[in-house]
Amino acid sequence: MSEPAERGVEVGVLDTEPEARLGDRATLVTGSLLMATGYLLTLGLHGSVAPYLICQAVAGLGAGVLQQSTRTLAVESVPREQTAVGSGINELLINVGGSLGAACVLAVTAASTPAGSVLPQYAAYATCWSVCAATALAGAAVALFYRSGARTV
């Protein structure tokens, strides 16, 4: 987990359940929009280290808010005796999603690295940031349809 994402999880833990204040849907949408904002800003502000790090911190904060929120929802959406299963499936999906995302980034950057060059062309980075932003925006759109339900007994 990246440093900004860890901070996002910590904010979620310290802010005793942001879902309680904002609601599940608003928390999911907020996390997704923070991620999208961070990646979209990175497209324009990647020229020096400080703005780049700030943009990535915003994206990471969004990821942390999402992870904290989905962890809570995963255990609240199953019967009490299935809490470990709900949590385990959520963690599995986080890891599978991260692995698929990393594989996609590697494929794009490898395809955009000229022979004999150490670094890929800028287009590879722009493509990755754009895809990350689009994915986060799609997540926000899906979260708009989230309907919270009471814990099943």
Side-chain angles (χ1 to χ4, degrees):
M1 183 181 297
S2 70
E3 184 73 21
E6 288 178 12
R7 298 298 78 80
V9 171
E10 288 173 3
V11 166
V13 170
L14 295 175
D15 179 12
T16 60
E17 300 196 36
E19 298 90 359
R21 278 188 302 109
L22 297 176
D24 296 329
R25 180 182 302 153
T27 302
L28 293 170
V29 170
T30 299
S32 296
L33 291 178
L34 280 169
M35 282 183 67
T37 299
Y39 288 121
L40 289 173
L41 288 173
T42 302
L43 282 167
L45 301 174
H46 62 276
S48 61
V49 174
Y52 172 79
L53 291 176
I54 291 169
C55 295
Q56 291 302 295
V58 170
L61 181 64
V65 168
L66 279 172
Q67 286 188 22
Q68 185 272 334
S69 183
T70 59
R71 284 181 171 109
T72 301
L73 291 171
V75 297
E76 288 180 348
S77 64
V78 296
R80 291 193 194 285
E81 64 273 5
Q82 295 290 317
T83 299
V85 173
S87 176
I89 289 173
N90 182 65
E91 294 300 320
L92 173 70
L93 292 175
I94 286 172
N95 285 298
V96 168
S99 297
L100 290 173
C104 290
V105 167
L106 180 60
V108 169
T109 54
S112 298
T113 304
S117 179
V118 178
L119 297 174
Q121 298 170 340
Y122 167 73
Y125 296 104
T127 298
C128 292
W129 295 327
S130 298
V131 169
C132 287
T135 303
L137 289 172
V142 169
L144 289 173
F145 295 101
Y146 174 76
R147 295 183 307 173
S148 61
R151 177 190 276 268
T152 28
V153 182

